[in-house]
Amino acid sequence: MKRKLLLFLCLALLLGFGESYAQSVQVKGTVTDDSDLPVPGVSILVKGTSQGTVTDIDGNYKLSVPNAQSVLVFSFLGFKNQEVTVGNQDNIDVKLESEISDLGEVVVVGYGTQKKSDLTGAVATVGGRDLANRRTATVSQALQGQVSGVMVTRSNSAPGSSANIRIRGITTIGDSNPLIIMDGVPVNSIDHINPNDIENISVLKDAASASIYGSRAAAGVILVTTKRAKKGELRLNYNFEYGTEVPTRIPEYVNVTRYMEMVNELRWNDNGNDGNEYPLYPKDMVDNYMELNASNPDLYPNTDWVGLILKKSAPRQRHSLDISGGTDAIRTKASFVYDKFDALYEGRTFERFTARVNTDGNITKKLGFTADIFLRREMIPSI
């Protein structure tokens, strides 16, 4: 009986191994590029697992996959990832497609545009969506940490306050502020532009790329391109944003009695311990200060200035309305934005209304025109 049971278990194990072995599939093939040349070093992984291999110098590979439903993922730097289901195939050849979108990106340089792959000067670009997603009131704050070699420093954290922009540090003994060009027109400050109206920003950091602007580009150039309407589109967008700012941490303060005790102890230690433990505030005042405050609060004040000035939160809101439409003859995009950013202390609310109308038209096949209107009104109370 024991022999029969042992024989049955052995047969069951053999059948199980045979079934699991039958489920595995051996796959091989060759990976090539757009020119039908083999690509060595291509990573091939079974999707959802860590099982995989790489192609050899001739672009060939061999891989054992768990079953016919397995999906192979082919990936290599500079090429688009491809996924292939094994199915009943034992030979899978893959042709990878090049991914050259970055090289074809158009960058604004001087009074024209160039492909990113053709650039020889030091130029950096930032998309308008990246700036708008930072939800800041000014463009200078949105540029912080976005471009290498561009240093943005803030000396004031109040809503609507501008920041200093330096491209590759201080480059002159005179004015080190970069030249700001918006749609081909110089402007005094980049913060006069609403972040929602920006299509992209190009920063010209060296003399080779900024030489077209002459001596005004000694500290670098920032080119701002605003959004424009396209032919055949008709859009009406309204966006509302609301949020609150809260202080990260407010330090806790001692009460007035404990403060006087600590100041007396400090003065006593500094005076060489001459025996007077109350060199600044008399003992009667320290012991009876609250009674003195109740009888004469002007002479004996007890005011929490931080609690009176700072608020626990500061709301902020933004309303934006975009209208755009275009035909073969004329294309117009109008945007209206209202911002209101409260501060954590009273009397520093920042309000701004901006309106922009960008119009492009064709008079003849070879003659066109561009007309831009920009209005801005800011309300910043002075303290």
Side-chain angles (χ1 to χ4, degrees):
M1 184 65 180
K2 292 183 177 180
R3 289 183 178 180
K4 291 181 179 180
L5 181 59
L6 183 60
L7 181 61
F8 175 77
L9 292 175
C10 291
L11 289 173
L13 289 174
L14 288 175
L15 288 174
F17 283 129
E19 183 180 0
S20 63
Y21 178 76
Q23 288 178 350
S24 62
V25 179
Q26 189 76 17
V27 181
K28 64 179 181 179
T30 305
V31 181
T32 57
D33 58 10
D34 296 333
S35 303
D36 293 329
L37 297 176
V39 183
V42 177
S43 174
I44 307 166
L45 284 176
V46 179
K47 190 174 183 179
T49 69
S50 58
Q51 182 180 356
T53 185
V54 295
T55 57
D56 59 17
I57 194 171
D58 296 320
N60 300 320
Y61 71 92
K62 289 183 180 180
L63 180 62
S64 179
V65 299
N67 50 56
Q69 289 74 34
S70 301
V71 178
L72 301 181
V73 181
F74 298 80
S75 60
F76 192 69
L77 184 64
F79 294 88
K80 296 179 180 180
N81 292 352
Q82 289 195 26
E83 297 184 1
V84 180
T85 303
V86 175
N88 57 359
Q89 307 176 81
D90 57 0
N91 188 85
I92 300 177
D93 295 334
V94 174
K95 178 179 288 188
L96 296 179
E97 297 181 12
S98 300
E99 189 172 25
I100 56 174
S101 58
D102 289 342
L103 297 179
E105 182 180 346
V106 175
V107 178
V108 178
V109 179
Y111 293 112
T113 59
Q114 288 185 8
K115 285 187 175 181
K116 195 172 184 180
S117 57
D118 298 334
L119 285 178
T120 56
V123 180
T125 60
V126 183
R129 181 177 298 180
D130 297 331
L131 297 175
N133 287 340
R134 304 200 72 175
R135 303 293 189 268
T136 60
T138 57
V139 179
S140 60
Q141 296 179 17
L143 280 176
Q144 274 188 307
Q146 294 287 313
V147 182
S148 61
V150 177
M151 182 175 60
V152 181
T153 57
R154 298 172 58 190
S155 59
N156 192 338
S157 60
S161 60
S162 298
N164 294 323
I165 301 177
R166 296 291 181 266
I167 298 177
R168 291 184 171 178
I170 299 176
T171 56
T172 174
I173 59 175
D175 187 7
S176 293
N177 294 318
L179 176 64
I180 311 296
I181 304 292
M182 180 184 66
D183 292 335
V185 179
V187 295
N188 294 330
S189 173
I190 196 172
D191 292 328
H192 292 171
I193 311 167
N194 194 289
N196 288 353
D197 293 334
I198 296 176
E199 180 70 28
N200 59 66
I201 290 180
S202 297
V203 182
L204 314 183
K205 295 184 282 188
D206 65 343
S209 57
S211 58
I212 191 174
Y213 295 103
S215 60
R216 298 186 65 185
V221 181
I222 297 179
L223 303 176
V224 182
T225 303
T226 58
K227 298 176 182 178
R228 314 192 77 85
K230 299 178 181 178
K231 182 179 69 174
E233 74 171 5
L234 180 60
R235 292 184 180 180
L236 174 62
N237 297 324
Y238 171 74
N239 185 41
F240 170 67
E241 300 174 7
Y242 182 86
T244 57
E245 292 186 358
V246 295
T248 304
R249 185 186 177 200
I250 297 179
E252 297 182 4
Y253 297 91
V254 298
N255 57 36
V256 60
T257 303
R258 180 57 182 157
Y259 171 78
M260 290 188 295
E261 292 175 350
M262 296 176 68
V263 171
N264 279 335
E265 184 175 354
L266 173 66
R267 297 292 185 269
W268 181 50
N269 291 333
D270 289 343
N271 255 348
N273 298 331
D274 58 356
N276 183 13
E277 297 183 11
Y278 301 90
L280 187 60
Y281 300 105
K283 186 175 184 308
D284 292 341
M285 178 184 292
V286 175
D287 295 339
N288 304 307
Y289 192 86
M290 300 311 298
E291 288 80 3
L292 296 172
N293 169 258
S295 61
N296 192 348
D298 294 333
L299 186 59
Y300 303 96
N302 183 21
T303 305
D304 180 12
W305 293 108
V306 174
L308 286 177
I309 297 175
L310 289 184
K311 299 185 292 187
K312 294 183 179 180
S313 63
R316 53 192 301 178
Q317 58 180 307
R318 169 174 289 168
H319 303 263
S320 61
L321 176 65
D322 293 339
I323 305 172
S324 61
T327 63
D328 292 334
I330 191 169
R331 298 166 298 280
T332 301
K333 180 179 178 63
S335 65
F336 307 91
V337 181
Y338 171 73
D339 295 316
K340 183 177 181 181
F341 293 76
D342 288 342
L344 290 173
Y345 48 94
E346 297 293 342
R348 205 59 171 89
T349 300
F350 170 74
E351 288 186 84
R352 177 180 60 191
F353 174 79
T354 59
R356 173 178 295 276
V357 180
N358 291 346
T359 303
D360 302 293
N362 298 326
I363 300 176
T364 64
K365 291 183 177 180
K366 296 183 179 180
L367 179 63
F369 71 91
T370 298
D372 295 345
I373 300 175
F374 175 62
L375 300 175
R376 175 180 60 90
R377 178 177 173 83
E378 292 184 0
M379 284 116 347
I380 305 178
S382 59
I383 296 180

